């Protein structure tokens, strides 16, 4: 998979790809991540990427020309499955979306900034709009990192145990069941006996029941689907 991220502040994005799972996925050759500074695609002396909005109003708007130049250059070099815009009014990111995107080959992620982007960018270049929640951030970079992490960890070979991601919360619209590790008895707080019984069919049934009950208690909205 190749991910190209378009941003006005690439410095925010660098360190997460230099550590942990995302770093290992790049070192294994499973993922390529490329950062593109939008200011490199401007023609003004001040590297301007924003301007006042027509009709008046507070807040600056990202201009269409540098975004067009950047996306057009990338698309001239390869075919992209999706051109994603990170925006608060996009579709809320969930596990289903992450699963779908993890199967793609090439993605472009455009990080919004200021008041947002010229609407013509959304009309003519963007194929998918994604939000990480009903709140507003200073820019789309943190959202882009969340999206990348959610996608990359699902790619075969990234996690040490490839079945681990399949048992995460929100797979099959259920939260994950309670998990425990050693010691089995800590200060009198004991691990459920079923988990130390060695009866794996019963353990699996217990986990399924616990996942359902936990979802019913904490996120009953997921069961409606």
């Amino acid at each position: 998979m190749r991910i190209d991220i378009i941003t006005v502040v690439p410095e925010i994005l660098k360190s997460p790809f230099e550590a942990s799972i995302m770093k290992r996925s790049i070192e294994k050759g499973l993922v390529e991540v490329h950062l593109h500074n939008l200011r490199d695609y401007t023609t003004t002396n001040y590297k301007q990427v924003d301007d006042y909005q027509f009709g008046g109003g507070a807040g600056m708007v990202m201009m269409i020309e540098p975004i067009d130049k950047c996306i057009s250059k990338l698309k001239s070099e390869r075919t992209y499955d999706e051109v994603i815009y990170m925006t608060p009014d996009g579709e809320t990111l969930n596990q289903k979306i992450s699963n779908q995107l993890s199967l793609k080959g090439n993605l472009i992620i455009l990080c919004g900034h200021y008041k947002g982007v010229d609407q013509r960018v959304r009309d003519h270049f963007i194929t998918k709009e994604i939000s990480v929640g009903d709140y507003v951030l200073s820019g789309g970079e943190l959202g882009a990192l969340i999206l990348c992490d959610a996608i990359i960890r699902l790619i075969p070979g990234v996690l040490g145990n490839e079945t681990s991601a399949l048992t995460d919360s929100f797979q099959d619209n259920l939260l994950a069941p309670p998990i425990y590790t050693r010691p089995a008895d800590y200060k009198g707080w004991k691990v459920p006996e079923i988990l130390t019984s060695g009866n794996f069919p019963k353990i699996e049934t217990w986990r399924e029941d616990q996942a359902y009950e936990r979802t019913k208690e904490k996120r009953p909205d997921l069961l409606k689907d």
Side-chain angles (χ1 to χ4, degrees):
M1 171 181 280
R2 178 186 171 110
I3 302 175
D4 289 276
I5 306 177
I6 302 172
T7 171
V8 295
V9 280
E11 296 79 10
I12 293 178
L13 293 160
K14 289 179 179 178
S15 61
F17 294 108
E18 297 172 351
S20 191
I21 289 174
M22 291 199 285
K23 177 186 178 182
R24 293 199 299 270
S25 68
I26 293 171
E27 291 177 340
K28 288 181 179 180
L30 299 172
V31 180
E32 289 183 40
V33 178
H34 300 269
L35 307 180
H36 304 273
N37 191 334
L38 195 59
R39 298 187 190 280
D40 294 337
Y41 294 85
T42 63
T43 55
T44 66
N45 292 333
Y46 297 102
K47 299 294 183 181
Q48 182 180 355
V49 296
D50 63 309
D51 207 340
Y52 295 102
Q53 55 183 301
F54 282 121
M60 304 294 280
V61 180
M62 294 177 72
M63 302 160 65
I64 186 171
E65 185 176 6
I67 296 174
D68 177 14
K69 288 181 177 179
C70 184
I71 292 178
S72 294
K73 180 180 183 297
L74 291 173
K75 292 176 76 172
S76 72
E77 298 169 350
R78 66 193 57 82
T79 300
Y80 286 89
D81 299 291
E82 299 281 4
V83 179
I84 301 167
Y85 175 46
M86 303 304 301
T87 173
D89 59 355
E91 183 180 7
T92 304
L93 179 64
N94 57 30
Q95 195 62 46
K96 181 180 179 181
I97 293 173
S98 300
N99 290 344
Q100 292 171 342
L101 292 177
S102 72
L103 301 175
K104 305 297 184 181
N106 299 313
L107 302 173
I108 291 176
I109 302 176
L110 172 62
C111 301
H113 236 272
Y114 312 110
K115 194 70 175 178
V117 300
D118 187 306
Q119 181 61 38
R120 290 169 291 185
V121 172
R122 303 173 78 165
D123 292 341
H124 298 285
F125 297 106
I126 303 303
T127 63
K128 196 173 191 65
E129 300 185 346
I130 294 179
S131 167
V132 294
D134 294 339
Y135 46 87
V136 178
L137 300 172
S138 299
E141 286 75 19
L142 297 180
L145 288 172
I146 291 172
L147 176 61
C148 287
D149 189 282
I151 294 171
I152 290 172
R153 66 188 308 278
L154 295 170
I155 297 173
V158 171
L159 297 181
N161 184 339
E162 292 190 10
T163 63
S164 177
L166 300 178
T167 58
D168 287 338
S169 290
F170 305 111
Q171 296 287 10
D172 298 324
N173 277 0
L174 292 175
L175 301 183
I179 54 176
Y180 301 86
T181 189
R182 295 174 178 78
D185 187 337
Y186 180 72
K187 295 184 176 180
W189 306 329
K190 298 181 180 180
V191 173
E193 291 184 8
I194 183 66
L195 296 178
T196 59
S197 68
N199 190 327
F200 294 106
K202 286 188 176 181
I203 290 174
E204 190 59 30
T205 298
W206 180 87
R207 284 175 171 160
E208 291 174 357
D209 291 342
Q210 289 292 314
Y212 177 82
E213 291 301 323
R214 176 171 279 195
T215 306
K216 183 179 178 181
E217 176 186 351
K218 295 177 176 288
R219 291 292 305 277
D221 56 298
L222 293 174
L223 298 177
K224 296 178 183 178
D225 297 330

